[in-house]
Amino acid sequence: MKRMYPLTLLLVLAVSLGNCASTEDSVRTTGGKIDTKSHLSQIELIDRDLKSTTSEDTKSKLLLTKGKLLLELGKYDDSISTLTTATALKNATVNPSELHLYIGKAYIGKNQYAKAIQYLNQSEKLDKTYNPERKKLVVQSLVAEREYYPALAALTKTYHKGNQKKDEFYFETAATTYLKMGFEYKNTSFYQKSLQVTNMGLEDFPENETLKSIQKECLEVLQPDGKI
């Protein structure tokens, strides 16, 4: 039987997070293209302002902006260092939940998902406002850490609490998670569940290539002779 590696949902971060650094003039991210030269120019100006101000409030705002710019450039270590410095300022007025959220994103960029989960959870503790982006990042990080049951529980809770209609993210994540479980635990029942979720997703999103690939993967395991 032909064996395909299970599809991996590499984290798709909303708007601001790119997956890699680049020395080119622009870096493609999920939100489009980032003007690298512009970002670097902004960072240079921020560094000048940081040297000239003594206000911790001003510093915290500048550091937050710089950390976000570094994050978008894929400079994850620098982003973490910058944002962590901002969290240590006593008289800062920036939202600490936002700082932790961006640090969590930076750790995702470094593929350090356990660390990312810690900061994302801390972000949620500091701000109880429902944030679907943050919830999804936690789910994806749990999947990456092979914490499959907690990931599925968090995914269900995310859509239940937010009263959201199940979208492509939901079906892709759930189907991929069950697929990984089937592969890891050598249990066809997980492939069956993955196929079930996939078929439901394809009813609403018939052109989704990820779901089509998962469907093919599951069928190769469940029906290796090609019979329906």
Side-chain angles (χ1 to χ4, degrees):
M1 178 179 63
K2 182 181 178 182
R3 175 77 256 152
M4 295 173 61
Y5 291 103
L7 295 174
T8 303
L9 273 184
L10 296 177
L11 305 183
V12 181
L13 308 181
V15 182
S16 64
L17 182 56
N19 289 326
C20 61
S22 173
T23 56
E24 299 177 356
D25 289 346
S26 62
V27 178
R28 180 165 296 279
T29 69
T30 55
K33 289 184 177 181
I34 287 177
D35 187 335
T36 301
K37 288 184 177 179
S38 174
H39 275 48
L40 292 175
S41 296
Q42 291 180 65
I43 291 171
E44 184 177 352
L45 291 173
I46 289 172
D47 285 339
R48 291 178 185 174
D49 290 339
L50 284 169
K51 292 179 180 179
S52 64
T53 184
T54 58
S55 166
E56 290 197 343
D57 179 31
T58 301
K59 284 183 179 180
S60 66
K61 293 175 181 177
L62 290 170
L63 289 169
L64 173 60
T65 302
K66 179 180 177 180
K68 291 164 66 176
L69 290 169
L70 289 167
L71 179 65
E72 291 172 357
L73 290 171
K75 297 181 180 294
Y76 303 122
D77 287 324
D78 291 339
S79 178
I80 291 169
S81 177
T82 299
L83 294 168
T84 301
T85 299
T87 65
L89 296 176
K90 295 180 179 179
N91 297 320
T93 58
V94 295
N95 187 338
S97 174
E98 186 177 6
L99 284 170
H100 283 76
L101 173 61
Y102 286 112
I103 294 174
K105 287 184 177 183
Y107 274 113
I108 286 173
K110 287 168 59 66
N111 298 325
Q112 294 183 14
Y113 302 108
K115 275 278 192 181
I117 292 169
Q118 291 177 18
Y119 280 95
L120 294 170
N121 286 340
Q122 185 64 23
S123 173
E124 187 168 34
K125 289 179 181 179
L126 292 166
D127 177 16
K128 299 296 184 181
T129 304
Y130 180 73
N131 185 325
E133 177 202 10
R134 183 171 56 203
K135 294 277 190 184
K136 290 177 180 180
L137 292 175
V138 171
V139 171
Q140 293 174 311
S141 297
L142 286 168
V143 174
E145 281 291 288
R146 297 160 64 184
E147 296 286 347
Y148 301 128
Y149 287 107
L152 290 168
L155 181 66
T156 300
K157 183 178 180 180
T158 295
Y159 280 78
H160 176 72
K161 183 176 180 180
N163 196 27
Q164 298 185 71
K165 185 179 183 297
K166 292 177 180 177
D167 55 12
E168 289 180 276
F169 174 87
Y170 174 88
F171 289 112
E172 288 180 3
T173 305
T176 298
T177 303
Y178 282 120
L179 181 64
K180 285 175 172 287
M181 293 170 78
F183 177 76
E184 186 160 330
Y185 303 140
K186 311 301 180 185
N187 189 324
T188 58
S189 66
F190 291 121
Y191 286 98
Q192 292 169 347
K193 186 65 177 177
S194 179
L195 182 60
Q196 179 184 357
V197 173
T198 299
N199 288 340
M200 291 173 60
L202 285 172
E203 289 180 5
D204 292 335
F205 308 100
E207 302 304 317
N208 186 291
E209 293 299 326
T210 297
L211 293 176
K212 289 180 182 179
S213 296
I214 294 174
Q215 182 186 59
K216 180 181 178 182
E217 174 83 1
C218 291
L219 290 174
E220 286 185 342
V221 173
L222 297 172
Q223 301 167 355
D225 56 2
K227 295 181 180 179
I228 304 298

